Amino acid sequence: MDFTGVTCVNCRLMEKKVFPDARVQAEFDKMVTVQLYTDRPNPDDEANKKLQNKLANNIALPTYVLVKPDGTVVDK
């Protein structure tokens, strides 16, 4: 899970400089990736922020959490 924000400069930097790296892409190919926005004033983003806080114990952006299909957090 990629907890991100519309106004997050560091999120855009990761997307531009880190995510395209072949080594990162090779790891992404092993999983289902999702971007969950947390910084807009709407119910979906508020729910995403609550999920981020539950899984990662923070609301900082960007935050990345690996979760198994059963909901178990693998890494954050």
Side-chain angles (χ1 to χ4, degrees):
M1 293 180 176
D2 172 4
F3 292 97
T4 190
V6 173
T7 62
C8 176
V9 175
N10 289 331
C11 299
R12 300 297 84 75
L13 181 65
M14 292 292 287
E15 291 166 4
K16 185 176 180 181
K17 299 287 186 179
V18 177
F19 292 178
D21 184 283
R23 295 168 295 179
V24 175
Q25 286 299 309
E27 293 302 314
F28 282 171
D29 287 345
K30 299 175 186 175
M31 56 187 86
V32 176
T33 59
V34 295
Q35 281 188 311
L36 299 174
Y37 286 83
T38 64
D39 65 345
R40 298 172 294 196
N42 65 54
D44 289 337
D45 283 25
E46 285 299 319
N48 292 341
K49 187 184 295 186
K50 287 180 183 177
L51 178 61
Q52 176 185 348
N53 193 34
K54 177 183 174 187
L55 296 177
N57 298 315
N58 75 54
I59 56 168
L61 296 177
T63 293
Y64 308 102
V65 181
L66 298 178
V67 181
K68 291 182 181 181
D70 68 3
T72 305
V73 174
V74 177
D75 200 3
K76 51 186 168 183

